[in-house]
Amino acid sequence: MAKAPPVLQWMRQPLDVKSFEEQSLDSVPFLHPGLMESLRNVGIHSLFPVQAAVWHETVGPGGGARDLSISSPTGSGKTLAYSLPIAQSLSQRLLRRLRALIVVPTRDLAMQVKQVFDAIAPSVGLSIGIAVGQTSVAAEASQLVLFPGKTDTCFRELHLASDNLPESRVDILVATPGRLMDHIQNTPGFTLEHLQYLVVDETDRLLREAYQEWLPTVLEAATGKNFSPSDDSNPGIGSVRTIRRSCLERGIKGCVVPRLQKIIVSATLTRDPAKIAQLGLYHPLSIALSTSDNLYKLPEQLRSYTIICKAQQKPLKLVTLLHSLGDQRTVIFTSSVSNTHRLSTFLACFEDLPFRAVEYSSFQHQLARSKALAAFRAGEAQVLVASDAMARGMDVEGVTHIINYDMPPFARTYVHRVGRTARAGRSGSCFTLLRKEEVRYFKSILAKVQNSSCKTYKVSSESTKELRPRYWTALQKLKEILDAGAGKKGHEMYAEEVTAADDAAVVASLLPG
Ligand SMILES: Nc1ncnc2c1ncn2[C@@H]1O[C@H](COP(=O)(O)OP(=O)(O)OP(=O)(O)O)[C@@H](O)[C@H]1O
C-alpha cells in the first residue's frame, strides 16, 4: 500500500478548537449589533467553539492576514463559523461589489448555505445571490449583474462603449462550480475582481471532483494571477483574465483593495499536499479539533451500532428496525442510486408502516429531489432514503437516526453519513447493516475515526415474524413494478436483474445489498 504523503507542517499544528469555550454573544468582541440581533432572532445566543475560534482569527487586528482551514466534526457549526465573520467584515463596505464567493458541491447544500447568510447578512445591508442552475443562466445573470438604464442591447458592446458600467446586485454569492463557470465565462459584467473572500466548503470533495477546472479559473479571475498548471496550454483561461484594479475601488480613488482571503472547510479535510497545493493558500492557519493520529472524529453524542445479517435478510431487518423507531426522523443510506430507488420503492409497497418514506437521489430530477427534501424537513415524510449525494453537509433539524443499509465505502463517507444526526450538541444513533464478510473491512474504516466504537444491535425476531407476510406482499409488488418498469424507457437497468427464482435469489435480485 503506497505510503501516505507527509502532512503539511501548518496542518500538524492547528489552532485547537478544544481550547475555545462556547461564547455568549454578549462577550463576542466587535460583534455588529445588527448581526447579534439577527442571530438571536433565529434562536442563536452563543457561538460554538469552532465559531469562537474562527472569529478570534478573522475579526480584529489580525483579521484577514492568513488563509484559513476549518476542520471540525459534522454538525459543529462550520457554516456560521465562516459566514458570520464575512458578514461582519463586509458590513463596513461602501459600494456593492461581489466580495464573497462560497463554492459548494451540490445545489441543495448551496440553498442551505444561502439560508444561513439570508438569516444574518441583510441586517447589515448585504445582499446574497445564488448560482446553482435552478433557473436559466440569463435569469440568474439578471439577479447578479445590473446594467443601469439598458436592458436589451448586447451587454458587452454597451458596457465597453459607455460609462454606465455594470454593477453587482450582490455582495455575497453562493454557487456550485458548474454554474459559476457559466457566469465567469458568459455573463457580461460578472466579475470577481473585487473578491475578498473565497470559501471552498466540503473542500475535499470539491478538490476531488474535477469540475471543469473551476478552481484555477476562479483564482485567476479573482487575483489576476495564473493558477492553471500550464497557462500557455490553456487558451480558455485568457478569456476570464481580469486585471485586479490597482488599488482603485470604482469611484473611490486610492482605496486599497484587500487581499483575497481563502477559507477551506470540511469535517474530513484532505491532508494530501498535492490537492491542497491547488488552492495556493497564503500563510494558512489550520483551525481544527485536534485528535490523536486518527484523521476524523465523530460527534460526542453519537451512539453507533452494527446489525450483522445475510444479504437477503437485510430488507426485513431494516423494516423491523424502522417499525421499532416509529415516526422518528431517519435517513437511510444505500451504496448506489439504483439501490436507493429500489429500496424506497420497496418501502412504498409495504402496507401500514408507521412512517412515510421518500427517495432522494440523482436518479430523480432536481425538482423531485428538492420536493422530497422539503417534505422530510417539514415532517410530512419521516424516512429519507438517500444515496451519498445527501451525505455532505445537509442539515435537517431533528434527524435522530441514520441507517447504513449498505456499508459505506470509505471512512470519510461514513463520517458524513452518520454526521446527519447528533448535530449542534444533540444526541443521535446510527446503525450499519453488515454481512459477516464485511465486518473486517468495516472495522478498518472505524480504525480511522475517533469515537466510532459500535455495539451489536439485535433486531427483535418476534417483530420480524409478525412483519413477514406483509414483507412478501411488498416484495411481490416491488417485482411487478420493476418488471413493468423494465419494459418502460429509463428502467432498463432493472430488466437484467429481476429473476423468478427461490426466495433468497428473488430478494438479492430485487434488493441487492
Ligand atoms: N451557535 C449556534 N448555536 C445554536 N445552533 C447552531 C449554532 N451554530 C450552528 N448551529 C446549528 O447547528 C447545526 C449544524 O450547523 P452546520 O450545518 O453549520 O454544521 P457543519 O459543521 O457545517 O456540519 P457538516 O460538517 O455536516 O457540514 C445547524 O442546524 C445550525 O443551525
Side-chain angles (χ1 to χ4, degrees), residues 240-380:
V240 298
R241 186 190 293 280
T242 51
I243 305 302
R244 203 166 174 79
R245 291 183 187 289
S246 53
C247 295
L248 282 188
E249 186 71 17
R250 189 171 298 147
I252 299 174
K253 290 215 180 320
C255 161
V256 175
V257 178
R259 193 185 63 79
L260 174 69
Q261 182 176 25
K262 292 169 218 143
I263 301 175
I264 62 176
V265 188
S266 176
T268 56
L269 200 57
T270 176
R271 295 186 174 201
D272 178 344
K275 290 213 172 83
I276 297 281
Q278 299 173 63
L279 292 149
L281 295 179
Y282 170 79
H283 193 33
L285 169 68
S286 167
I287 297 177
L289 193 69
S290 70
T291 61
S292 53
D293 52 1
N294 286 308
L295 222 56
Y296 309 133
K297 186 165 168 40
L298 295 183
E300 292 299 335
Q301 322 73 13
L302 181 71
R303 291 183 304 282
S304 310
Y305 303 90
T306 53
I307 297 172
I308 315 294
C309 63
K310 293 194 179 88
Q312 63 269 24
Q313 292 172 323
K314 279 171 65 170
L316 188 49
K317 295 271 184 195
L318 171 73
V319 174
T320 309
L321 173 61
L322 286 170
H323 208 271
S324 68
L325 298 179
D327 62 356
Q328 305 261 344
R329 207 167 284 188
T330 303
V331 180
I332 303 171
F333 285 103
T334 76
S335 58
S336 70
V337 167
S338 58
N339 281 7
T340 299
H341 183 67
R342 280 198 203 96
L343 192 58
S344 48
T345 308
F346 166 68
L347 291 175
C349 296
F350 213 108
E351 288 157 10
D352 305 333
L353 287 176
F355 57 82
R356 179 183 159 224
V358 286
E359 176 183 353
Y360 181 91
S361 80
S362 49
F363 180 80
Q364 303 160 294
H365 293 298
Q366 175 64 41
L367 191 61
R369 206 161 56 219
S370 299
K371 269 192 182 153
L373 187 57
F376 186 57
R377 283 188 194 279
E380 291 150 19

Side-chain angles (χ1 to χ4, degrees), residues 22-23 25 39 42-48 50-51 72-82 109 112 116 201-202 265-268 391-397 415-416 419-420 423-426:
E22 187 161 339
Q23 194 173 3
L25 293 185
L39 286 170
V42 292
I44 290 180
H45 301 285
S46 59
L47 294 189
F48 286 164
V50 68
Q51 295 160 356
S72 61
T74 51
S76 55
K78 294 186 289 296
T79 312
L80 193 64
Y82 64 75
L109 187 50
Q112 182 180 292
V116 174
D201 201 343
E202 300 302 350
V265 188
S266 176
T268 56
R392 285 275 180 169
M394 292 314 292
D395 180 68
V396 179
E397 187 94 30
V415 167
H416 285 286
R420 294 320 98 208
R423 298 172 70 76
R426 288 184 282 272

Side-chain angles (χ1 to χ4, degrees), residues 4-14 270-273 293 295:
V7 177
L8 292 165
Q9 166 78 22
W10 61 269
M11 291 187 106
R12 282 201 294 265
Q13 290 147 347
T270 176
R271 295 186 174 201
D272 178 344
D293 52 1
L295 222 56

